[in-house]
Amino acid sequence: MSVFSMFRTLALLLATGAGAAAQEHATHAAIPSAGPAMSEGKSFAEGGGEALYAQVCAACHQAGGEGAVGAAAYPALRHNPKLASAGYPVTVLLYGLRGMPPLGSMMTDTQVAEVVNYVRSHFDNPYGDAVAPEDVKAARP
Amino acid sequence: MAEASGFSRRKLIAMVGAAAGSAPAYQVMTSLGFAEDSPYRGPIRLDGDPKGASVLVLGAGLAGMTAALELHRAGYTVQILEYNTRAGGRNWSLRGGDTYTELGGATQSCAFDAGLYLNPGPWRIPYHHHGVLDYCRRLGVALEPFIQLNHNAFVHSTAGFGGTPQRIRTVKTDFDGATAELLAKATRKGALDAQVSKEDQEILIEALRSLGGLDKDLAYRAGPDSSEFRGYAHDPGGGLAARPMDGEPMALHDILTSRLWRGLQNFLLYEFQTTMFQPVGGMGRIGEAFARALPPDTIRYGAKVTQIAQDGHGVTVTYQDLGQGGAVRQAQADWCVCALPLTVLSQIPTQVGSKMKAAIDAVPYASSVKVGLQFKRRFWEEDEHIFGGISYTDLPIRQISYPSTGYNAGGKGVLLGAYTWNGPNSYEFTALSPAERVRRAVAYGSQIHPQYRTEFETGIAVAWHRVPFTLGCAGDWTDEARAEHYDNLCALDGRIMLAGEHASYIPAWQEGAILSALDAVTRLHKRVLAA
């Protein structure tokens, strides 16, 4: 350690007034120990439909796709016949719908396809025809 | 704006001022865009007799209550339907003893000590939000300073400086000093000869030296000149060992690559410039004061609007009386000011024209999450000498705000331990259980303040997309949507007029709600008098 860098370290310790604390910052891991990681940057980092659903869609549509009701409602995605055509959920996700924000700019084509396919084949939805990333790309604004 | 144009405008104003005194000069400044006219022109006067006309207001947030208050004063018969069992809407403070149930059913009991609170929604008032400030004055809501910029708070990045938080004071001073040195030396080398006159170059160099903390050699480096701005490695004291020690500035490269400069914008933007204010005792004091100012029983609580109809004679609103098992009732009036969030209104069958309906459906709502954390002691003050202000970080919590009140008194305190606005982390926090949001806010925050680990007591988390009365935080307009729909949203449609922050150019701010309501009732009143 050079004299210069020692001086800087000393200055830092004096400036923060918490020497032990300052040393601890540098070594402590960035992610809390348990549960799913959170995204860095401006796009969702989750991979796969299940993770995307659980960490994004479930914010409003709830963990089991049951939706929620207050002064207005988040529609249940469970057993939802509007999902019969894959184009509908793709469009809603990319363009938003009324109060629902458009989320497509924070997801890749693959992620949009994955989460749409997940919802359409889970929560009592029987739709097996998967959308491809190319379909999503074609539907983007 | 080009330099030459600005210079000639200023010269023109100076000439007008010299020739005709300051009042004409002010008018010229206004017409040239230098002195902005406030859109708030003081308490509105709704002159003329409405002859017993009645208005039904939907939503007892600040927009709805502003409309109701002014219409009542003008002689209208006014009733408000409100979904919640309290007034204020997003103007809201959570205090010890409060319970809050979010969409999905999770209920949190706020266990804060007496006097401590979280403002889940608005929490600060810019000095130029004249409407909010005037209503606070008229309704007797005491204000105190809200500290936005505290030089001794932190900017933090997980990658820069090894993840060690840096004082705003040193990052800002060292960035300003280093850039001042570069510009001063470039000027001295003649790099600006083509753009700046020799006389102006000398003044520029003097200004950079004065404002940047440069020494006589135009260098920004450890020494008394820089220390007067960035502070000292060892502060000046008294008696023996009193001599100050200068600190070594950070390298410009480290500041640039750490991206810590990103946080500094939060202290420069018009909306965040000093002086900012907060109501003493919590932002919710404003909504409470509005409700007190209305005639008794103006607000019908627990009313969930399910249909809005109108014809040539009046407006009929159907609602469920939530306090009576959801019994279906109707309210009628000659006119309606609807201040429901668009997330809610867009789902209610509403008898308006296709243009207004399209506008109601065109505005998504922002995602936002706040977490309040109570600690056993105010370690940020005791250990780190941070009195108010905000630390900014690239961690998912984004910021930590320190209370702007109760300084230096010891005891417990509540920090705003997370405040997200859109972006992936806001949705991810919303999807977590309230307890997990709080746990993560503590875990992330402990990377900036390790004292979290031993001093944390209790927390509460509000994710706005799970708030039952708004289903989102605030209207998130795009320029394209505004161009297509904004005027249609604000127009009077038969007997129905909308109001709220979403019907303003100041979305997500209380000022937008109030200015929107004042504009709505002014136009409505004119229409009533013309009838």
Side-chain angles (χ1 to χ4, degrees):
Chain A
M1 183 180 271
S2 71
V3 174
F4 177 71
S5 65
M6 277 176 63
F7 181 81
R8 280 188 63 182
T9 305
L10 175 65
L12 183 80
L13 296 182
L14 290 167
T16 58
Q23 285 172 339
E24 197 170 356
H25 291 310
T27 55
H28 190 254
I31 304 296
S33 52
M38 301 181 83
S39 303
E40 293 178 25
K42 295 180 177 177
S43 297
F44 288 107
E46 288 81 4
E50 184 174 5
L52 283 162
Y53 183 85
Q55 294 185 66
V56 186
C57 315
C60 296
H61 296 282
Q62 308 297 321
E66 64 270 32
V69 180
Y74 293 125
L77 301 183
R78 175 172 293 280
H79 196 66
N80 188 332
K82 286 188 174 178
L83 300 172
S85 165
Y88 179 73
V90 168
T91 304
V92 170
L93 209 159
L94 294 180
Y95 292 84
L97 180 65
R98 297 196 276 270
M100 172 173 169
L103 298 171
S105 66
M106 294 186 283
M107 292 185 187
T108 64
D109 295 340
T110 300
Q111 284 175 311
V112 173
E114 284 172 341
V115 75
V116 165
N117 291 336
Y118 177 79
V119 171
R120 294 181 70 242
S121 59
H122 290 75
F123 309 127
D124 289 338
N125 296 312
Y127 312 110
D129 55 317
V131 292
E134 297 73 40
D135 303 325
V136 176
K137 187 175 183 181
R140 281 193 186 270
Chain B
M1 189 63 65
E3 285 295 311
S5 158
F7 180 75
S8 63
R9 286 202 304 177
R10 276 193 293 276
K11 220 159 89 174
L12 172 65
I13 291 161
M15 285 164 59
V16 172
S22 61
Y26 180 79
Q27 286 166 12
V28 171
M29 284 169 69
T30 302
S31 66
L32 294 182
F34 275 126
E36 284 299 320
D37 241 2
S38 166
Y40 181 73
R41 312 208 63 83
I44 62 165
R45 296 176 55 90
L46 302 177
D47 294 328
D49 186 359
K51 297 185 179 127
S54 58
V55 180
L56 185 59
V57 175
L58 306 181
L62 290 202
M65 290 195 290
T66 298
L69 191 60
E70 297 301 343
L71 290 167
H72 164 70
R73 284 174 175 166
Y76 289 83
T77 302
V78 178
Q79 188 185 15
I80 305 179
L81 300 181
E82 166 56 43
Y83 174 82
N84 282 328
T85 53
R86 62 166 181 87
R90 282 165 277 183
N91 175 287
W92 180 26
S93 298
L94 279 167
R95 304 185 176 91
D98 290 343
T99 59
Y100 164 58
T101 300
E102 66 178 32
L103 290 173
T107 296
Q108 300 175 78
S109 297
C110 184
F112 292 160
D113 278 33
L116 303 178
Y117 60 85
L118 168 71
N119 294 324
W123 54 312
R124 51 195 167 178
I125 304 169
Y127 71 87
H128 47 85
H129 282 188
H130 307 292
V132 178
L133 291 175
D134 199 31
Y135 276 101
C136 286
R137 184 180 58 75
R138 286 153 64 190
L139 300 176
V141 178
L143 300 178
E144 60 193 359
F146 173 94
I147 309 300
Q148 173 74 20
L149 166 59
N150 176 349
H151 286 84
N152 211 39
F154 293 120
V155 279
H156 169 259
S157 106
T158 46
F161 297 93
T164 306
Q166 302 297 308
R167 300 285 182 177
I168 289 165
R169 183 186 66 253
T170 49
V171 173
K172 176 171 168 36
T173 307
D174 292 352
F175 179 83
D176 289 349
T179 51
E181 176 181 334
L182 286 172
L183 183 53
K185 289 183 171 171
T187 305
R188 186 136 287 176
K189 282 182 180 166
L192 301 187
D193 284 354
Q195 295 103 317
V196 183
S197 72
K198 275 291 170 199
E199 294 75 21
D200 282 2
Q201 285 187 30
E202 284 313 306
I203 301 170
L204 175 62
I205 288 169
E206 181 54 27
L208 291 168
R209 203 177 71 80
S210 165
L211 301 177
L214 309 185
D215 65 16
K216 60 180 171 39
D217 301 322
L218 301 183
Y220 181 74
R221 58 190 168 200
D225 295 294
S226 62
S227 288
E228 285 189 7
F229 287 79
R230 72 189 310 283
Y232 300 82
H234 181 61
D235 272 1
L240 289 172
R243 184 172 301 155
M245 190 194 299
D246 298 318
E248 185 68 30
M250 304 174 200
L252 180 60
H253 171 79
D254 293 341
I255 298 175
L256 294 176
T257 54
S258 71
R259 304 296 196 279
L260 285 182
W261 47 267
R262 282 179 177 158
L264 303 180
Q265 192 189 50
N266 297 291
F267 313 116
L268 302 171
L269 297 172
Y270 183 44
E271 285 176 333
F272 301 132
Q273 289 170 9
T274 53
T275 302
M276 302 195 83
F277 300 97
Q278 63 180 15
V280 175
M283 190 58 85
R285 297 297 185 220
I286 298 179
E288 295 162 16
F290 264 99
R292 277 197 306 273
L294 291 165
D297 301 323
T298 297
I299 306 173
R300 176 177 278 273
Y301 294 104
K304 175 176 170 172
V305 174
T306 57
Q307 190 170 13
I308 302 170
Q310 62 172 329
D311 59 23
H313 305 288
V315 177
T316 301
V317 172
T318 307
Y319 64 95
Q320 294 176 352
D321 187 343
L322 300 179
Q324 299 295 322
V328 175
R329 305 188 194 285
Q330 288 192 323
Q332 293 177 320
D334 299 323
W335 306 90
C336 175
V337 173
C338 177
L340 301 179
L342 297 180
T343 43
V344 175
L345 182 59
S346 61
Q347 294 190 22
I348 297 171
T350 303
Q351 201 172 3
V352 293
S354 58
K355 284 184 175 177
M356 181 181 271
K357 178 57 181 162
I360 289 168
D361 288 349
V363 187
Y365 267 43
S367 170
S368 183
V369 177
K370 278 188 178 176
V371 180
L373 304 173
Q374 176 173 304
F375 294 91
K376 294 174 204 159
R377 65 183 184 92
R378 298 168 70 109
F379 58 81
W380 52 93
E381 297 182 356
E382 295 169 1
D383 301 352
E384 291 151 329
H385 317 296
I386 297 172
F387 297 91
I390 305 172
S391 291
Y392 288 89
T393 173
D394 63 358
L395 289 166
I397 56 173
R398 289 294 182 272
Q399 45 189 291
I400 296 172
S401 176
Y402 313 92
S404 288
T405 186
Y407 299 131
N408 208 30
K412 298 180 179 181
V414 167
L415 298 183
L416 178 65
Y419 177 26
T420 66
W421 185 268
N422 282 336
N425 295 151
S426 206
Y427 291 89
E428 290 163 343
F429 262 120
T430 304
L432 298 169
S433 69
E436 180 63 12
R437 290 176 211 144
V438 169
R439 192 192 73 76
R440 289 196 183 213
V442 172
Y444 283 123
S446 68
Q447 296 179 42
I448 296 171
H449 296 289
Q451 301 97 319
Y452 268 42
R453 299 193 188 103
T454 52
E455 308 296 348
F456 171 70
E457 279 193 335
T458 181
I460 192 162
V462 175
W464 277 94
H465 266 125
R466 286 202 182 175
V467 171
F469 57 92
T470 58
L471 290 83
C473 185
D476 203 2
W477 284 96
T478 61
D479 292 344
E480 295 75 21
R482 260 196 205 283
E484 189 176 352
H485 296 293
Y486 181 79
D487 288 355
N488 296 333
L489 188 80
C490 297
L492 179 67
D493 185 304
R495 294 173 169 270
I496 297 171
M497 180 89 86
L498 306 192
E501 53 80 24
H502 50 274
S504 82
Y505 271 83
I506 322 173
W509 289 92
Q510 297 175 114
E511 183 76 357
I514 286 178
L515 294 183
S516 156
L518 293 177
D519 180 65
V521 299
T522 301
R523 286 186 287 128
L524 182 64
H525 183 62
K526 194 180 281 183
R527 171 71 181 81
V528 170
L529 294 186

